[in-house]
Amino acid sequence: EAPFDTFDGVMKDSAWFPRFNQAAFKCLGKLSDPQCYELPDITHLTCPIAFITSDADARVPKKTTLRCIANVKQLYPHLTVEHLELRYSKHPTMSCSNEVDRDEYILFMERLYDKYISKRPLTGEEVEEKIECKEDAEKKDTEETGLVELTELV
């Protein structure tokens, strides 16, 4: 959510009056380090990271997200980064305000699901559940086949 990289970047890329906002915040607030966040050198994260941007989004400018994506790719080359670029949607209604963007969003989510969720290894419980379902189906098939055979005999 809101991948801003530095306080100055936030002000420069999203404030209407960046210099005024920077000066006011620095005078009235406490800002010891100009960095809003710093990515750790090492991460134990192994799942993919998905980013969504839109050309029409004025709340989180696309260039700040692109800088964040570049930083993640540089620091963690082993991680998969997925990125959806929308064209018409604004931030509050990004996935539903425009028909073209909504369709792109749905396709993106379905692709993520197909790529990372539906093909993941099954847990032990899921394997047991599949075996039980298969056994139940085979039992049902046998019962139905037996009925068919009896019908054929009569």
Side-chain angles (χ1 to χ4, degrees):
E1 183 67 35
F4 291 119
D5 52 357
T6 65
F7 175 75
D8 292 333
V10 171
M11 290 297 119
K12 180 181 168 216
D13 293 333
S14 70
W16 288 343
F17 307 105
R19 288 186 182 172
F20 173 77
N21 288 359
Q22 285 173 313
F25 191 89
K26 288 177 181 176
C27 288
L28 303 173
K30 293 180 181 179
L31 185 67
S32 59
D33 184 359
Q35 293 292 326
C36 282
Y37 70 84
E38 206 171 289
L39 294 171
D41 294 333
I42 298 172
T43 183
H44 298 290
L45 188 65
T46 58
C47 65
I49 302 172
F51 292 92
I52 301 172
T53 58
S54 177
D55 292 334
D57 186 358
R59 184 63 250 139
V60 181
K62 187 175 174 179
K63 57 184 152 185
T64 62
T65 305
L66 294 177
R67 283 196 304 258
C68 186
I69 291 171
N71 288 340
V72 168
K73 285 181 174 182
Q74 179 183 1
L75 283 171
Y76 314 117
H78 65 283
L79 292 179
T80 302
V81 174
E82 303 284 350
H83 180 207
L84 171 63
E85 295 185 59
L86 301 175
R87 291 173 278 187
Y88 310 106
S89 299
K90 296 186 178 185
H91 190 75
T93 57
M94 196 172 277
S95 63
C96 61
S97 65
N98 176 275
E99 188 175 342
V100 172
D101 282 352
R102 183 181 61 239
D103 291 345
E104 289 294 319
Y105 181 86
I106 290 169
L107 286 172
F108 181 70
M109 290 301 159
E110 287 175 349
R111 187 175 62 79
L112 290 177
Y113 180 83
D114 289 344
K115 188 174 181 181
Y116 299 107
I117 304 295
S118 66
K119 296 183 181 180
R120 67 175 170 74
L122 298 176
T123 65
E125 289 177 8
E126 291 170 325
V127 170
E128 288 175 18
E129 187 177 309
K130 276 193 172 263
I131 291 170
E132 287 174 12
C133 287
K134 185 177 179 184
E135 289 172 351
D136 289 344
E138 288 172 355
K139 184 178 177 183
K140 186 177 179 183
D141 287 344
T142 304
E143 289 171 358
E144 288 175 1
T145 305
L147 289 174
V148 171
E149 289 173 6
L150 285 177
T151 310
E152 289 174 2
L153 291 174
V154 174

